[in-house]
Amino acid sequence: MTMTKVNIGIIGTGFIAKILAPEIQSSSKARLAAVSSRTLAKAEDFVASYPGAVAVEGADRLIARDDVEAVYIAIPTSAKEDVASRALAAGKHVLIEKPLHSSESFKRLSALALKKGLVLMDATHFVHHPRTSAMRQHLAALIGAPRSLHTMFYFPFSDRENIRFDPSDEPMGAVGDMAWYSMRAVVEYLAPDAFEDIKVFAERDPQSGAVIRATGVLKFDAGKTATFDVGYTAGAAVMDLTVAGTSGILTQDDFVLDWKSGFGFDNPDIPTGFIHRSGMATRKDFAFIETPGEKSQHGLMVDSFADLIRNDDDAARETWLSATAKTQGFLDAIWRQIQARG
């Protein structure tokens, strides 16, 4: 039986909304029904490339539309909880950009989603690519017990007019923007049960005060550790991940946006996968394990969101909520350490 497409409305017309809109429109499981902005003119400009999508002024008018079943919230972190709570209260499923303002904020949203029987999913792309599940599935066989994780995520960026440099809208700066992925990798690959200790160094932009770089280490139960190094200050795009276990290591050099079809890259000739190393192997002995995806990871995310809505699987919905809660919790721990250090 063919399921009807999920009608999705987008709240926000910024860069990331423009990335996801074509994936919604081209999905076999979703349809772009409407787009809202604070001004009608911006919404009209946005939908000009999407026949059938309606331009709407203001989030509330989009949320009130009967032809919108779900919303993708792509607005500043400072406003996310307010808009998401209104959408959930109105009976709309929610796909929300990361990060959230805090764990407490997400707890309120997830409680409302559970009460209303709705889907609430964060918009982390890489977890929907087959590579993530393949790595999790083969961790024990390839590297034994995972013990440590290192992630390094940089892209060169210095536009102080960008929202990333506005602490009032994006309080955590590069930490919320980039360390989110590092902490989600902790959830996916280390899967710790308890957080025990943390040390963090952060660098702030001298003009705006925004955090532009952060480096730290987190200690978890069972001796597991994670180090992260993120920011805007390196002169190159870096997306490295290494997970080390008792009998080997797995590495990626594109863990956030895969080189092949991540929205920042388009290299059909670069296969997506991960490298396995063990023992005293030299470079010629490294094994590349390819993990192809049928479409881009953000396209797969749209399909996953639609499937959660249509399948009405409470256990699956709560699994996604749990992953978001853990990610935000680790991110909050980083942020508290940065604030304590001044």
Side-chain angles (χ1 to χ4, degrees):
M1 185 177 79
T2 302
M3 293 190 294
T4 57
K5 292 185 176 184
V6 175
N7 286 332
I8 298 177
I10 296 178
I11 298 175
T13 53
F15 171 77
I16 196 64
K18 292 174 182 175
I19 295 298
L20 210 61
E23 301 297 334
I24 296 172
Q25 188 74 331
S26 64
S27 173
S28 62
K29 301 180 179 184
R31 169 184 169 269
L32 183 58
V35 176
S36 74
S37 183
R38 285 175 291 183
T39 65
L40 184 60
K42 285 186 177 180
E44 289 174 338
D45 287 344
F46 193 104
V47 303
S49 301
Y50 301 100
V54 177
V56 181
E57 182 177 3
D60 287 333
R61 290 182 179 177
L62 183 142
I63 291 169
R65 292 184 63 89
D66 292 335
D67 61 342
V68 171
E69 299 173 73
V71 296
Y72 167 49
I73 297 177
I75 59 177
T77 298
S78 59
K80 285 174 187 170
E81 182 183 359
D82 180 48
V83 174
S85 62
R86 297 205 304 270
L88 290 166
K92 311 297 183 181
H93 304 280
V94 170
L95 176 65
I96 189 167
E97 264 306 320
K98 54 78 194 169
L100 282 300
H101 192 273
S102 65
S103 292
E104 290 72 22
S105 174
F106 183 70
K107 285 177 184 177
R108 290 189 289 268
L109 291 176
S110 59
L112 183 55
L114 290 169
K115 178 181 177 181
K116 303 282 286 187
L118 296 167
V119 172
L120 173 63
M121 176 188 280
D122 75 70
T124 305
H125 300 175
F126 81 84
V127 297
H128 299 275
H129 196 284
R131 174 169 61 181
T132 301
S133 58
M135 275 189 57
R136 287 202 313 262
Q137 181 182 348
H138 293 102
L139 275 175
L142 293 175
I143 68 170
R147 299 284 286 168
S148 67
L149 176 78
H150 174 68
T151 51
M152 185 176 186
F153 180 24
Y154 278 86
F155 62 80
F157 192 79
S158 58
D159 178 9
R160 288 189 174 88
E161 299 301 313
N162 188 277
I163 193 172
R164 292 177 176 88
F165 282 77
D166 184 351
S168 63
D169 274 339
E170 296 296 339
M172 296 186 193
V175 168
D177 188 22
M178 308 182 80
W180 171 275
Y181 297 97
S182 299
M183 295 305 100
R184 188 52 166 265
V186 168
V187 173
E188 299 295 328
Y189 302 128
L190 280 187
D193 291 322
F195 166 73
E196 295 182 354
D197 200 3
I198 184 171
K199 299 294 180 185
V200 180
F201 164 81
E203 178 183 351
R204 293 183 182 270
D205 173 56
Q207 293 186 29
S208 65
V211 173
I212 55 175
R213 180 170 69 94
T215 304
V217 58
L218 294 86
K219 183 179 182 295
F220 305 98
D221 59 288
K224 296 177 181 178
T225 58
T227 57
F228 69 93
D229 188 11
V230 301
Y232 308 134
T233 59
V238 182
M239 299 179 289
D240 292 347
L241 177 148
T242 299
V243 54
T246 52
S247 60
I249 69 171
L250 302 179
T251 63
Q252 300 175 21
D253 63 2
D254 59 347
F255 89 97
V256 179
L257 302 172
D258 63 277
W259 302 126
K260 184 173 185 177
S261 60
F263 65 76
F265 309 96
D266 183 16
N267 301 280
D269 58 327
I270 301 180
T272 303
F274 56 93
I275 292 172
H276 175 229
R277 300 163 58 181
S278 62
M280 297 298 292
T282 61
R283 190 178 298 162
K284 64 183 177 63
D285 301 311
F286 295 176
F288 180 75
I289 300 171
E290 187 172 355
T291 55
E294 62 185 34
K295 60 171 67 175
S296 70
Q297 57 188 20
H298 43 304
L300 292 167
M301 180 183 69
V302 170
D303 289 351
S304 296
F305 181 55
D307 285 340
L308 273 185
I309 292 170
R310 287 291 182 253
N311 293 342
D312 199 25
D313 185 336
D314 290 341
R317 293 179 178 185
E318 291 193 33
T319 296
W320 286 105
L321 290 175
S322 175
T324 304
K326 291 175 182 176
T327 305
Q328 186 69 48
F330 298 149
L331 196 70
D332 284 1
I334 294 171
W335 188 237
R336 285 194 298 269
Q337 180 79 184
I338 290 173
Q339 289 179 305
R341 293 175 66 93

